[in-house]
Amino acid sequence: EAGVTQFPSHSVIEKGQTVTLRCDPISGHDNLYWYRRVMGKEIKFLLHFVKESKQDESGMPNNRFLAERTGGTYSTLKVQPAELEDSGVYFCASSQAEGYEQYFGPGTRLTVT
Amino acid sequence: EDQVTQSPEALRLQEGESSSLNCSYTVSGLRGLFWYRQDPGKGPEFLFTLYSAGEEKEKERLKATLTKKESFLHITAPKPEDSATYLCAVRPISGYSTLTFGKGTMLLVSP
């Protein structure tokens, strides 16, 4: 069974540019989560989808971040315009159901210069 | 506010030298405590879920235990391949399925 995949693995962009991160969850997992780890800090929750609906987006830092999950399959996280403080590793995770263990992807390392 | 504190930040062991990692947590109510292992450049890999005080789970050289205020990850006779960062996360009753993570303990096992 394929795990959670994320694309790209690395992205380097300039301040003010736009970047879109993609996550493909484990097949059949309705729950999809986005997390972020900035340097020196712990992994922090961004938002949670159940199928195509946003269940909880309380962790989204501001309106420069837009997450979508069309059709309840893969998800994208767009940052527009990117700021220096957006640099970090963005993880996607999926779970079979709420409360079950979450399986993480390898992450996308975003560097904003 | 929910909080997870892991100690020590880093731990160096000789192969075969057993030890324990600590995860202290403060939550309004605990729905689950999770242990993950993370290797450099990879995402967290699920290890255990603990739900109630007194619960224990084992996997190879690892054993996780839970009390009302903390969890321990005991590593028995570690091998170099156990070297990784170990992350603890809690799922509070008040939230949906979101996890609150600690900063992790970086474990290095020397041969």
Side-chain angles (χ1 to χ4, degrees), chain B residues 5-8 19-25 33-35 48 50 55-58 62-75 86 88:
Chain B
T5 303
Q6 292 188 246
S7 62
S19 188
S20 297
L21 313 183
N22 177 264
C23 170
S24 298
Y25 62 90
L33 185 141
F34 301 79
W35 281 98
F48 304 109
L50 301 166
E55 189 175 0
E56 298 184 352
K57 292 223 175 136
E58 284 189 68
L62 301 176
K63 182 169 83 171
T65 61
L66 181 65
T67 71
K68 288 187 178 179
K69 292 185 178 181
E70 57 192 350
S71 177
F72 292 93
L73 185 65
H74 306 278
I75 304 176
Y86 290 86
C88 172

Side-chain angles (χ1 to χ4, degrees), chain A residues 33 37 45 98-99 102 105, chain B residues 36 38 43 91 97-99 103:
Chain A
Y33 312 81
R37 185 169 196 167
F45 166 79
E98 285 194 54
Q102 297 178 21
Chain B
Y36 285 85
Q38 186 174 22
R91 183 182 170 217
S97 293
T98 63
L99 298 178
K103 289 187 177 182

Side-chain angles (χ1 to χ4, degrees), chain A residues 14-54:
Chain A
E14 292 183 355
K15 177 182 171 181
Q17 290 186 321
T18 297
V19 63
T20 300
L21 314 181
R22 172 170 170 146
C23 167
D24 287 78
I26 292 172
S27 177
H29 282 196
D30 288 337
N31 291 264
L32 186 149
Y33 312 81
W34 284 98
Y35 292 85
R36 176 175 74 172
R37 185 169 196 167
V38 297
M39 198 183 312
K41 301 278 190 177
E42 64 275 19
I43 295 173
K44 286 204 168 179
F45 166 79
L46 296 177
L47 89 159
H48 170 207
F49 283 100
V50 178
K51 296 186 179 179
E52 65 273 12
S53 299
K54 292 176 186 174

